[in-house]
Amino acid sequence: MAFHRLGAWAVVSLLCVLSVAIPVYQVPLSAYDVNSPLSPSRQATKSRTLHGRFLQISDLHPDSFYKYHSSADEGDACHRGKGQTGIYGAETTSCDSPISLINQTFKWIDENLKDKIDFVIWTGDSARHDNDEEHPRTEKQIHDLNRLCVSKFVEVFGKESSPSQPLSIPIIPTWGNNDVLPHNIFHPGPNKWTRTFLDIWQPFIPESQRHGFAHGGWFHVEVIPNKLVVFSLNSLYFFDNNAAVDGCASKSEPGYAQFEWMRVQLQMLRKRGVKAIIIGHVPPARTGGKASWDESCWQKYTLWMHQFRDVIVGSVWGHMNIDHFMLQDYNEVNINSLQGLSTEDYRETMEDEVGIESAADYLTELREIWSDLPQPPSGMSLDVQEVDSVKKGKKKDKFYKKIGGPFGERFSLSLVSPSVVPNYYPTLRLVEYNITGLDSPSSSLASRPRRNSRPGWLDHGLDLISPFFPSFSTSKKKHKFKAPKPPSPTSPPGPAYSPQPMTWTKYTQLYANLTTINNEPSSSSSGSHQKPSPKPFTFEIEYDTATDKIYAMKDLTVLSYLKLAERIGRYKPRTSNPWVKDDDFIDTKSSDSLEEDEDRQDADIEKDLDISGEEGENREGSENDVEVSNKGKHKKKHKKHKKHRKHKKRKLLNKPWHAFVSRAFVGSKSEEELEDRFGMVIKDL
């Protein structure tokens, strides 16, 4: 059996590394037969008006065993016992989604979003968890629950009047680690799962790619003909918890083959002038101590994202259930890790299921990483629209070299959406993108800034990885690692870095407040087990990145997220930093203050603070507690308040950081819970 596996993948690997433009497992994108009645691309895009929006829905986790007013205790899993679990789900528990929540979610999409979006990205985990010993999961259950979810998509987006065109817009699914049995374990294909899901996902997989999907479970859909392609990756081949595979370094591994497939497909998109979105389930989470992917896979992903930065618009993921983002740093790519030879990788495998405790540690580690991001010099404009007007200077050029030029091309971005399953509150994410000029042959490339307008910004080594790394011995034979070719030095930056057609402009985070909707009586109420009387089910806006008063992001480019990460990572204000807003910090009393000062307003407090400080002092102090001296103006101000005694110390609260952690849990955590895990919080964020 092992010999059969090795032989099959050896043949696949040989095809993968051929330098001719023949993709692994499937025909080129340019060879799509858009006139075929079986092509989802044709079904979804012929005579279709673009809206400049797409929907991401993730981690549905439907559970047919869910019972209303059952126990949410561990072991009961909302399947039995007595408790206050709601009719639409038990928010802030580890229970899965009742079928009623799935039905209401798709009903709401049908009534509110169906005719306002261009395509749907469905990022996996569409079966319940294996969390009940009395009801162990079976393959049939996983199949049936996934078929249920497919039926809901077809019900909402199907075209009854035209059987040959079953979908009004493209739906792009991807594998979740709970969509297989045992969970996390996905063997090299073809296997029983790829064969079964080839049937289950039949409405969504282009006919030209069905053979390739059967081998690896990955595929792509041209959601806007000749403009935009969505790549659905099988992230289980990257997942460190998948014991059936071993990373992405060896040619015998499916992870290796998947990256070679991506290489060839993205190269062809570059030639065609077509852009790409990358989607998957398990995100490339990685901190100083833990990681969700095998290191060789993370290394290749970061390298591929960098080398194809002119093609890739962005990437979206699910799995972790918490709302956040991550930045991949190209400077951390190294040849030994790419080839699986590194002995210095000390990271532990990240927990399979991310609870509030592990999530809190993870988010705190992200903040520590972001606190070390390069800091822009004072007074420097960083709007990419003004790149050509930025005057040269040693400090500016030094900073640009640190971040990979004026567009921040040292980094790439991954967005992680929270889930439908109500571990916190059920969510949907609506992403908007620029469709200017997409209905014309040309998208006005001449108006975009070009890299060669500032020669030298990328001279610090970002593109020093040539098509070939130096030879390293992996056994008796020498092996050369072939990196993908980078963009042309004179080509404009891609949509992920500079505003242009396809650039993501903002997203709106929607959530269903089940505490209100379920309308459950209090635990002390005598009628706690009465018949359900829920309020109307609806999703409402939690925040959107553009109009939110704290995030206030102009767009979702990498540079915008670098700015946000810098603000979140700030432990102490620095007035000369153009990325830090004037009101990013507020002053609050520490817990050991001698007396509450209820009359003073935040604005008055900020005026009292002496926060000027030299460059570089902003990293000092503990994570959640920054002392401000009582000397000078600070002390004099207190003299005016004769009724109040002097405070021992003050705390400066970083508003973006606390907004970030509150939103990570979809606003479901109380102030007390957030304060316990993250320090002082702000009311009414």
Side-chain angles (χ1 to χ4, degrees), residues 91-93 320-325 353-364 416-419 421-427 429 507 509-515 542-543 551 657-679 681 685:
E91 70 274 20
T92 70
T93 73
M320 298 183 73
N321 299 334
I322 53 174
D323 178 355
H324 69 295
F325 66 94
E353 302 297 333
V354 181
I356 186 170
E357 294 296 324
S358 57
D361 292 340
Y362 166 70
L363 295 174
T364 300
V416 182
S417 172
S419 57
V421 65
N423 292 154
Y424 307 113
Y425 285 132
T427 68
R429 176 168 289 182
Y507 70 75
Q509 193 61 47
L510 304 167
Y511 79 110
N513 188 332
L514 291 190
T515 304
E542 181 190 8
Y543 70 96
Y551 282 6
W657 162 240
H658 284 283
F660 178 68
V661 296
S662 176
R663 290 162 182 174
F665 305 109
V666 199
S668 66
K669 298 303 176 184
S670 67
E671 290 186 10
E672 291 74 18
E673 289 175 295
L674 290 179
E675 181 172 351
D676 181 57
R677 290 302 307 167
F678 300 103
V681 298
L685 284 176

Side-chain angles (χ1 to χ4, degrees), residues 31-91:
Y32 271 178
D33 180 5
V34 295
N35 294 314
S36 167
L38 295 176
S39 168
S41 298
R42 173 178 175 261
Q43 293 163 9
T45 56
K46 186 177 180 180
S47 302
R48 181 164 60 94
T49 300
L50 292 177
H51 303 281
R53 299 184 200 91
F54 67 84
L55 173 67
Q56 183 185 4
I57 184 168
S58 193
D59 295 81
L60 290 158
H61 286 294
D63 183 0
S64 56
F65 293 103
Y66 182 96
K67 290 185 178 179
Y68 172 62
H69 274 172
S70 60
S71 169
D73 292 343
E74 185 177 356
D76 291 334
C78 292
H79 294 167
R80 56 189 162 271
K82 293 184 178 181
Q84 287 190 290
T85 57
I87 189 66
Y88 294 130
E91 70 274 20

Side-chain angles (χ1 to χ4, degrees), residues 22 34 79 128 130 242 290 315 318 337 368 441 470 499 567 667:
I22 301 176
V34 295
H79 294 167
R128 72 179 182 91
D130 202 359
N242 183 5
K290 294 184 178 181
S315 67
S337 295
E368 291 172 357
R567 294 169 62 204

Side-chain angles (χ1 to χ4, degrees), residues 352-634:
D352 184 21
E353 302 297 333
V354 181
I356 186 170
E357 294 296 324
S358 57
D361 292 340
Y362 166 70
L363 295 174
T364 300
E365 288 184 19
L366 282 183
R367 188 189 188 196
E368 291 172 357
I369 293 172
W370 296 341
S371 71
D372 289 327
L373 287 171
Q375 303 170 46
S378 61
M380 180 178 178
S381 173
L382 292 161
D383 191 333
V384 295
Q385 302 284 14
E386 302 175 8
V387 167
D388 288 328
S389 65
V390 175
K391 296 180 179 179
K392 293 189 68 174
K394 290 184 179 180
K395 290 185 177 180
K396 293 183 178 68
D397 286 350
K398 184 178 180 181
F399 172 70
Y400 281 149
K401 286 185 177 182
K402 287 182 178 179
I403 66 170
F407 307 104
E409 292 176 278
R410 165 182 161 184
F411 300 92
S412 58
L413 172 70
S414 297
L415 299 183
V416 182
S417 172
S419 57
V420 171
V421 65
N423 292 154
Y424 307 113
Y425 285 132
T427 68
L428 300 171
R429 176 168 289 182
L430 197 62
V431 181
E432 298 189 18
Y433 64 101
N434 187 345
I435 59 174
T436 304
L438 292 187
D439 55 350
S440 63
S442 173
S443 297
S444 188
L445 297 179
S447 63
R448 288 187 267 154
R450 297 180 177 271
R451 290 192 183 88
N452 64 348
S453 61
R454 273 287 182 270
W457 277 337
L458 293 176
D459 288 347
H460 68 297
L462 280 177
D463 289 320
L464 288 183
I465 293 186
S466 64
F468 288 92
F469 275 105
S471 296
F472 284 81
S473 177
T474 56
S475 58
K476 293 182 180 180
K477 296 182 178 180
K478 297 284 187 179
H479 173 64
K480 288 185 177 181
F481 179 89
K482 184 179 180 181
K485 293 180 180 179
S488 166
T490 59
S491 66
Y497 297 91
S498 174
Q500 59 190 269
M502 297 298 178
T503 295
W504 295 350
T505 56
K506 74 170 187 174
Y507 70 75
T508 301
Q509 193 61 47
L510 304 167
Y511 79 110
N513 188 332
L514 291 190
T515 304
T516 300
I517 295 170
N518 282 331
N519 196 29
E520 288 297 308
S522 63
S523 58
S524 60
S525 172
S526 59
S528 60
H529 294 287
Q530 63 189 13
K531 291 183 178 180
S533 56
K535 295 183 178 180
F537 187 93
T538 187
F539 283 89
E540 55 189 294
I541 296 175
E542 181 190 8
Y543 70 96
D544 83 60
T545 55
T547 63
D548 178 68
K549 63 182 180 181
I550 296 178
Y551 282 6
M553 301 175 72
K554 292 183 178 181
D555 51 43
L556 304 185
T557 58
V558 169
L559 190 62
S560 291
Y561 271 98
L562 276 174
K563 294 178 183 180
L564 180 59
E566 164 73 15
R567 294 169 62 204
I568 291 171
R570 185 68 43 208
Y571 293 134
K572 185 176 179 181
R574 172 184 162 217
T575 55
S576 60
N577 188 340
W579 284 1
V580 176
K581 297 181 180 297
D582 293 338
D583 59 350
D584 271 0
F585 286 81
I586 67 168
D587 179 45
T588 183
K589 306 299 190 310
S590 65
S591 58
D592 62 348
S593 62
L594 300 178
E595 186 176 328
E596 291 295 330
D597 184 359
E598 299 178 353
D599 298 329
R600 295 186 71 188
Q601 301 297 314
D602 288 343
D604 295 327
I605 295 173
E606 289 180 356
K607 291 179 181 178
D608 293 347
L609 294 177
D610 180 11
I611 58 175
S612 55
E614 296 297 323
E615 181 175 345
E617 294 181 353
N618 56 301
R619 309 298 183 197
E620 297 176 359
S622 65
E623 175 183 328
N624 297 310
D625 185 358
V626 179
E627 293 190 22
V628 177
S629 171
N630 286 324
K631 297 179 181 180
K633 289 192 288 185
H634 198 64

